[in-house]
């Protein structure tokens, strides 16, 4: 299963964007999916993750209450709804798949075995 992130853009602070992570070549429902981001000069950081069923969802503290991760397995797509965007949300956003995520590993990049190409989000003040 290959992943492709899309939906990024340049926006003003306070507005919303929705990112999509579309899968091809297989069924995304077999995988948990995580969103990570990497700002210039910084390490890649965890943003949000969702289990195969969508029952288990995790967020980083910096986005909880503003971002929502969801999935539509019928469309083979995972979404990241980003509201109230801030300049510090500026980064390249990546989606990645994992066979299994849990409370001990959802935030670790090594948990995910395939990464899609990122999509750039730029938030100006």
């Amino acid at each position: 299963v290959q992943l492709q992130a899309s939906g990024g853009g340049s926006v003003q602070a306070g507005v919303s964007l929705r990112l999509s992570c579309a899968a091809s070549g297989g069924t995304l429902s077999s995988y948990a999916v995580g969103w990570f981001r990497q700002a210039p000069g910084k390490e890649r950081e965890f943003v949000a993750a969702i289990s195969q069923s969508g029952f288990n969802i995790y967020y980083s503290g910096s986005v909880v209450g503003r971002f929502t991760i969801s999935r539509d397995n019928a469309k083979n797509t995972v979404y990241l709804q980003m509201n109230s965007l801030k300049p510090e949300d500026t980064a390249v956003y990546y989606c990645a798949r994992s066979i299994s995520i849990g409370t001990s590993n959802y935030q670790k990049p090594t948990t995910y075995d395939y990464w899609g190409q990122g999509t750039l989000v730029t938030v100006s003040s």
Side-chain angles (χ1 to χ4, degrees):
V1 176
Q2 296 183 324
L3 305 178
Q4 179 65 55
S6 63
S10 296
V11 298
Q12 296 276 6
V15 303
S16 300
L17 277 178
R18 188 177 78 161
L19 305 184
S20 297
C21 177
S24 61
T27 303
L28 190 58
S29 61
S30 299
Y31 299 92
V33 174
W35 283 98
F36 288 74
R37 66 187 181 186
Q38 188 165 19
K42 296 188 176 181
E43 293 186 354
R44 190 168 298 189
E45 66 169 348
F46 169 78
V47 176
I50 188 167
S51 62
Q52 284 89 329
S53 66
F55 184 79
N56 294 309
I57 289 176
Y58 308 94
Y59 295 103
S60 73
S62 61
V63 308
V64 67
R66 299 189 298 123
F67 291 13
T68 302
I69 189 171
S70 63
R71 67 189 303 155
D72 185 339
N73 286 336
K75 294 184 178 180
N76 243 9
T77 303
V78 170
Y79 303 100
L80 185 68
Q81 178 67 42
M82 307 186 296
N83 298 331
S84 302
L85 283 163
K86 304 176 181 180
E88 51 264 43
D89 294 319
T90 295
V92 178
Y93 284 72
Y94 300 90
C95 59
R97 73 178 198 198
S98 174
I99 291 296
S100 178
I101 59 172
T103 55
S104 64
N105 69 354
Y106 65 87
Q107 78 277 32
K108 299 177 181 178
T110 53
T111 298
Y112 302 84
D113 65 352
Y114 183 88
W115 295 73
Q117 291 186 333
T119 185
L120 176 62
V121 174
T122 304
V123 185
S124 57
S125 58

